[in-house]
Amino acid sequence: MRTLKIFGLALLMIFVAQGKTFAEMPEISAGETYFDIFKGVYVLKDNVHVVVNNHGFKATVTADEALVSVAKQKCWAEGNVKLTQENISFSCERAYLQWQTKTAEVTGKVKFENKKSVAITSDTAVFNWQEKIVDFYGKISLKAEKKVKLADGVELDGKEYQHVKYNVVEDKILALDKTFDAPEVVIPSAEE
């Protein structure tokens, strides 16, 4: 009976907290789904599918496994991760999405495609979906169609870089760096 009361209290806190900040509850499905009341996260395994609609940003995350905290507004995904939104897609080994900061940090064999004009592979990337800008870091391979726009002073002078900054909405490369002191992109533990 005590466990049932704790579970009820946890659910109440989650619904009250999310009501103030979410546009909509995320749609969550997986082969195996349960709520870990001690960590405050949904644990998702096998064929994970999370659809987020946060004030106009609608994205779908698929993965082998994921943890979703509705109260903290965060998602940790691992194994064959794919993030799609309209004409763009990310695939990687691990991803960390935060609704409050409107960012997605991705690591491990990152592959990005804008179906219109650009394909980029990198070690890590950070996507700010409010600004619609992606920063790619590490060993980067860039394939750009002629129709992709370039910011003033930016020239395509090869295919390999250490940093690429790209505006998804404008389909515009904002920066290309062959040498760059990249920040370390680390996916935090769900328990932090």
Side-chain angles (χ1 to χ4, degrees):
M1 187 63 154
R2 178 173 160 77
T3 304
L4 190 57
K5 287 180 183 178
I6 292 172
F7 180 71
L9 181 61
L11 283 177
L12 178 63
M13 289 176 9
I14 288 169
F15 288 122
V16 168
Q18 69 86 23
K20 295 178 182 176
T21 55
F22 271 125
E24 295 178 23
M25 279 288 288
E27 297 172 27
I28 301 169
S29 66
E32 179 184 342
T33 304
Y34 64 92
F35 185 76
D36 184 329
I37 61 170
F38 299 108
K39 292 181 182 177
V41 296
Y42 288 95
V43 178
L44 312 168
K45 295 182 179 183
D46 302 322
N47 197 23
V48 173
H49 190 86
V50 178
V51 179
V52 178
N53 188 356
N54 186 330
H55 304 289
F57 170 77
K58 188 166 183 176
T60 302
V61 179
T62 58
D64 293 337
E65 297 181 10
L67 299 175
V68 177
S69 172
V70 176
K72 292 181 181 178
Q73 301 179 11
K74 297 179 180 183
C75 175
W76 297 260
E78 190 165 335
N80 299 308
V81 179
K82 190 165 187 179
L83 169 69
T84 56
Q85 182 198 19
E86 296 178 10
N87 290 327
I88 64 168
S89 68
F90 271 106
S91 61
C92 61
E93 294 173 357
R94 298 180 72 207
Y96 174 56
L97 289 83
Q98 300 180 77
W99 289 275
Q100 290 179 339
T101 61
K102 296 178 174 62
T103 58
E105 298 174 36
V106 296
T107 63
K109 299 180 184 174
V110 176
K111 185 177 180 182
F112 171 85
E113 291 180 324
N114 178 330
K115 295 176 184 171
K116 298 177 186 176
S117 61
V118 174
I120 302 170
T121 60
S122 68
D123 297 324
T124 62
V126 177
F127 177 39
N128 181 317
W129 66 72
Q130 181 171 353
E131 296 175 0
K132 307 297 187 211
I133 292 178
V134 186
D135 280 288
F136 298 93
Y137 303 108
K139 185 178 179 183
I140 299 170
S141 175
L142 168 67
K143 293 179 185 174
E145 299 290 329
K146 291 182 180 182
K147 61 184 171 182
V148 70
K149 299 173 193 164
L150 301 173
D152 292 340
V154 175
E155 292 182 24
L156 289 169
D157 59 349
K159 293 182 180 183
E160 293 188 11
Y161 301 92
Q162 289 186 348
H163 173 243
V164 173
K165 186 174 210 136
Y166 175 71
N167 184 310
V168 175
V169 173
E170 294 179 12
D171 193 21
K172 186 177 197 177
I173 296 174
L174 305 174
L176 293 171
D177 298 295
K178 291 203 179 250
T179 58
F180 191 80
D181 190 18
E184 185 177 5
V185 178
V186 177
I187 307 292
S189 167
E191 295 162 6
E192 292 179 3

